[in-house]
Amino acid sequence: MDIWQGPLPGGRPGTDHTPATTQVTEQHALPGFEAVARLASGALDVSLVALLLADGSAFWYIPPGQPDAPPLDGALLAACRVAARRGQAEVVPDARADARFLPAGTDPAQDGIGFFACEPVFGLGGQLLGALFAVDRQPHPALRAGAQAALRDAASLAGTGAALRSYLDRTDPATGLPHRNAFFADLHTHLPSGADTAWIVAIEAAPVARFNALVRAMGHVYADALMRAMAARTQAWMTPDMQLYQVGTSRLAVLLAGLHDALPPAQLDALVATLRAPIDCLGVPLTLQPGVGLLKVEARELRGGDPLRRVMNAAHVAQNSVRGWAVYDQRQDERQRQEFFLVTELAAALSERTELELHYQPRVDLASGRCVALEALARWRHPTLGAVSPATFVPLAEQAGLMRSLTDWVLDHGLAQLAEWLRGGLDVRLSLNVSSIDLDATLQQRLAAAAARHGVPLARLELEFTESVAIHHNELTRDVLDALRRAGVGIAIDDFGIGYSNLDALRRMPATSLKIDQSLVRNLDARPHDAAIVHAMAALGHDLGFRVVMEGVETASVLAAVRDAGCDEVQGHHIAVPLPAAAVAGWLREHAAPAAAAGAGHAERAHRF
Ligand code: C2E
Ligand code: MG
Ligand code: MG
C-alpha cells in the first residue's frame, strides 16, 4: 500500500502553485483520506485513487499488492489538474485511446492508463475544492453498477475531510481561535488587497517562565482554560473590525486591517485593565501579568520582516511596565537582538577560549611606590564586532547564566598567569573581579581548586566584590567571605561610594580594602566638595581597618589630590592602563619596587607616579 499526502514535492510536474502564504509551517494530513480512498478503490477495483485540491496539495492511495499502479505524474497529473479545475464528473472506461493520458512520443506500455474516472469535490458551502480520481492500468469496459455512485460518495466524504483540514489549518483545537497560520494568511490577504497598513495588538498573558511554572503546577487543561478566559476578555474589548488569533501557547494577537492611526491610549489602558483583573479559572483565582504590544505594519514590510516577532517584543517589554502596553520600538528591539547575539557569541567564546583575554592593571601603594597588586580585567575581542567592553558583557553573562563559566575561565587563566610570574621571580598579587552570582558556598572550593592546580598560595589572591554585593549580604555570603578571609584571600569592596551603604553592614564586612569608585575622582582636583567626600571616605575606611584604594586616577593633579585625601593606594591610567600579560614584567621592572632599590632612592621612587 502506498499512501501519500501533502503538497506535491518540488521538481515534479504541476508544482507551479505557490501556497497563499509562506508562513504556513504545519500541513495537516487530510482527515479520513485513507478510508475514503480504500472504499473507492474497492468499489471501482482500481489501483490508484488520487485527490487534487485547489490549494495545490495532492493525496494518493495505492491498495496493497499493486506494483503496477500508474504514478501520479506526467500526462496523468496534467489531465487530473485540468479535470479538477473543470469540476465535472467524468468516466473514461477505455482511456487507451485518449490522447490526454498519453501524449505523443510516450510508451503506452510504460506510461499509459486504461481507466479514468473523476468526481468533483465540494466544500461544505458548495464551493469547488478539487476532484477525486480513480485510475487503473486496465480498461473497465463494463463499469460495475453503483461504482460511479460510490465514487461520488467518496468525493463527498473527501470534501468533508478537506473542510476539516482547512479548519484545522486555521484553528487552535484548545481555544477554538484561529491560530498563527491563519494570522499570517489573513495578514497577507488583507494587506495587499486594499488595506496598505494594519495594526497588530499582541498579548502575552504572563512572563514565559511564570506561564511555564503555571503549566507545571496546574496542567495544560488549566492553561488552556486560562487562555480561553483571556481570549474572552479580549473579545469583549474588541470592536467588530478586529480579529483575534491564538499565536502561541500564552499569546494572542488582534489584527486590525486598514487602520492608520494608533489606538487611543485610553482604549489600550482599558484592555490592560481587563486583562490584569483577577481571573477565577476553574475555581482557582489568579492574577496575571500581561503585556500588550502594538505594531503598525505596512504591506511592503511583509516580505522578510517578521511582524509577530516584533510585536511580541513590544508585548514583552510592556509586561514590566507600569502601563502594561507599549508600541514597538525598533531601537530597543535592535538592542535586545544585539544582546541575544552577544550572549550566544559569548557562550561560544567561553567554550573556544581564543577570543577572551585578561589584561592586568597595576595598583600601587602611594607611600612606597610599590605595585601591590595587579587587577585582572577580562577583555573580549570578537572577530567581527571588535572589542566588547566587560561593562557590556559581564552583566549579560550574569543574566544569561554564563557567569560561572566566565569566572571559572578568569580564575583558571589568571592563576596560570600568576603562577608563571611567581616562577619568574616577580613578587605580585592578583586581584580578581567576581560577581554576586559567584558568591555562593562553592566559591571558596572553586578558588582553592584553581590555586592548587596552578600551585599558587591563596594569600597571593584578592577578590573584588561590588559595594552592593558586599553590603547587601546575608548569612551565607558572610560565611563565604569569612572563610575566604581565613584562608588568606584578600577581599576588596569595589566601586564604593555610588550605592546606598549600610555603614553597620560595612563595619561587619571581613574586607581588607575599600576601592572608591572612579566617578568620585574625576574632578577631585577641581571640586572641593568631591575632595571632602573622598577625604571622609578614606577616613571612614581607615577607621574600619581597610586599605583605601582610589581607582580611575588619570592625571598628576588628581593623583596629588588623592594623596592629600589620605588614600593608601591608587590605580588608573596615570599610573598604568590595563596591560596585556606580556607587558606586565617589563612594566614592573621599569617601575621597580623600592624594596628592591636602596635607601635614598625610596622617597624618590615613591613619588614617581
Ligand atoms: P572595575 O572592577 O571597577 O574595574 C575598573 C575599570 O576601570 C576597568 O574597566 C578599567 O579598565 C577602568 N579604568 C582603570 N583605570 C582607569 C582610568 O584611569 N580611567 C578610566 N576612565 N577608566 C579606568 P573595564 O576593564 O572596562 O571593566 C569594567 C568593569 O567590568 C569592571 O569594573 C568590573 O566590574 C567588570 N569586569 C571586568 N573584568 C571582569 C571579570 O573578569 N569578572 C567580573 N565579574 N567582572 C569584570
Ligand atoms: Mg574591580
Ligand atoms: Mg571599580
Side-chain angles (χ1 to χ4, degrees):
M1 178 181 71
D2 178 9
I3 181 158
W4 191 87
Q5 308 197 16
L8 284 173
R12 300 185 66 153
T15 52
D16 48 292
H17 178 92
T18 342
T21 162
T22 48
Q23 301 283 356
V24 174
T25 50
E26 289 164 26
Q27 182 98 30
H28 288 99
L30 193 78
F33 172 71
E34 189 181 347
V36 164
R38 202 177 314 122
L39 286 174
S41 76
L44 284 99
D45 192 21
V46 291
S47 57
L48 172 71
V49 173
L51 174 70
L52 254 65
L53 294 178
D55 67 3
S57 50
F59 306 83
W60 67 72
Y61 170 80
I62 296 170
Q66 295 279 356
D68 194 29
L72 184 66
D73 59 8
L76 175 58
L77 178 63
C80 287
R81 281 186 171 282
V82 173
R85 256 179 244 133
R86 207 173 55 229
Q88 283 171 10
E90 187 183 3
V91 177
V92 187
D94 187 347
R96 286 172 303 185
D98 197 320
R100 281 181 295 166
F101 305 114
L102 192 66
T106 46
D107 174 7
Q110 271 280 301
D111 306 315
I113 62 159
F115 172 76
F116 176 87
C118 140
E119 269 293 334
V121 170
F122 298 103
L124 299 182
Q127 74 280 26
L128 180 67
L129 296 181
L132 186 69
F133 303 91
V135 183
D136 203 33
R137 286 271 189 219
Q138 307 305 321
H140 288 217
L143 196 59
R144 230 192 284 156
Q148 200 173 349
L151 189 61
R152 196 174 313 127
D153 288 347
S156 160
L157 288 172
T160 312
L164 185 57
R165 183 180 75 138
S166 87
Y167 173 81
L168 288 176
D169 268 351
R170 283 188 58 87
T171 313
D172 184 285
T175 54
L177 289 173
H179 57 45
R180 198 170 57 225
N181 295 353
F183 169 81
F184 280 112
D186 291 357
L187 189 61
H188 281 249
T189 348
H190 280 310
L191 278 189
S193 63
D196 57 355
T197 55
W199 276 85
I200 307 171
V201 180
I203 297 162
E204 187 156 43
V208 175
R210 195 158 165 234
F211 196 85
N212 289 344
L214 181 141
V215 174
R216 280 195 303 276
M218 308 296 291
H220 283 95
V221 173
Y222 185 85
D224 289 344
L226 194 61
M227 287 313 291
R228 278 196 294 275
M230 294 295 270
R233 287 179 175 197
T234 309
Q235 269 159 334
W237 166 86
M238 282 162 42
T239 49
D241 52 342
M242 302 181 185
Q243 170 73 46
L244 181 64
Y245 304 84
Q246 166 127 29
V247 291
T249 324
S250 57
R251 291 163 177 186
L252 303 170
V254 179
L255 186 59
L256 296 92
L259 184 77
H260 283 265
D261 302 324
L263 287 169
Q267 204 176 341
L268 294 161
D269 289 342
L271 174 61
V272 171
T274 177
L275 296 173
R276 278 182 179 169
I279 296 185
D280 192 328
C281 181
L282 303 180
V284 182
L286 202 78
T287 305
L288 292 171
Q289 189 195 333
V292 173
L294 289 116
L295 172 74
K296 184 182 189 177
V297 260
E298 299 190 1
R300 61 184 166 78
E301 292 174 330
L302 281 187
R303 277 191 184 282
D306 184 348
L308 203 51
R309 183 197 69 72
R310 287 185 285 151
V311 73
M312 276 305 165
N313 192 293
H316 179 73
V317 170
Q319 228 155 29
N320 295 315
S321 72
V322 176
R323 196 143 208 189
W325 59 268
V327 179
Y328 171 76
D329 174 350
Q330 189 175 356
R331 273 183 321 205
Q332 183 172 45
D333 183 18
E334 273 161 16
R335 220 172 25 246
Q336 284 192 359
R337 283 170 65 126
Q338 173 85 333
E339 284 182 2
F340 177 80
F341 173 70
L342 276 183
V343 166
T344 319
E345 293 292 291
L346 181 60
L350 279 168
S351 60
E352 305 205 352
R353 304 173 175 209
T354 50
E355 295 165 17
L356 289 170
E357 201 187 342
L358 286 177
H359 280 193
Y360 300 88
Q361 189 176 33
R363 193 167 108 199
V364 166
D365 173 53
L366 274 175
S368 67
R370 271 178 67 101
C371 171
V372 285
L374 293 158
E375 177 176 5
L377 293 160
R379 295 288 175 261
W380 178 17
R381 185 158 290 281
H382 185 274
T384 54
L385 298 172
V388 185
S389 160
T392 302
F393 72 79
V394 169
L396 285 182
E398 286 179 337
Q399 287 162 31
L402 292 171
M403 204 56 223
R404 278 184 80 93
S405 331
L406 179 61
T407 301
D408 283 343
W409 178 86
V410 170
L411 288 183
D412 197 51
H413 210 77
L415 268 58
Q417 184 58 62
L418 176 63
E420 193 181 314
W421 284 328
L422 294 177
R423 278 196 302 276
L426 294 181
D427 178 22
V428 282
R429 294 175 79 231
L430 188 65
S431 194
L432 299 150
N433 290 284
V434 277
S435 120
S436 59
I437 292 171
D438 297 307
L439 193 55
D440 64 12
T442 66
L443 180 62
Q444 193 196 352
Q445 183 222 328
R446 285 158 70 202
L447 190 65
R453 204 163 47 246
H454 296 290
V456 171
L458 283 172
R460 292 268 175 188
L461 301 174
E462 180 186 58
L463 297 182
E464 297 191 9
F465 297 95
T466 57
E467 177 188 5
S468 58
V469 176
I471 302 302
H472 301 292
H473 63 267
N474 54 29
E475 282 303 309
L476 172 70
T477 54
R478 182 60 202 269
D479 288 350
V480 174
L481 294 176
D482 278 337
L484 285 166
R485 265 311 291 134
R486 280 196 304 274
V489 179
I491 308 263
I493 300 171
D494 204 354
D495 302 344
F496 183 75
I498 51 170
Y500 299 95
S501 294
N502 172 338
L503 293 182
D504 181 52
L506 185 66
R507 178 177 62 78
R508 290 186 292 122
M509 273 296 294
T512 40
S513 343
L514 196 66
K515 297 184 78 173
I516 300 177
D517 189 76
Q518 42 183 289
S519 60
L520 291 162
V521 83
R522 288 279 162 267
N523 301 305
L524 200 60
D525 48 344
R527 292 225 298 250
H529 274 113
D530 285 9
I533 291 172
V534 172
H535 196 280
M537 280 180 170
L540 173 74
H542 287 147
D543 286 348
L544 295 174
F546 306 143
R547 299 275 297 166
V548 177
V549 185
M550 190 71 239
E551 42 179 27
V553 174
E554 290 183 351
T555 62
S557 61
V558 166
L559 178 66
V562 167
R563 204 186 290 281
D564 290 346
C567 296
D568 303 303
E569 298 169 16
V570 284
Q571 194 178 344
H573 292 172
H574 180 64
I575 291 99
V577 296
L579 304 164
V584 167
W587 187 93
L588 287 173
R589 255 195 314 277
E590 210 176 303
H591 301 82
H602 189 120
E604 190 201 333
R605 282 172 183 278
H607 292 89
R608 283 190 58 176
F609 298 107

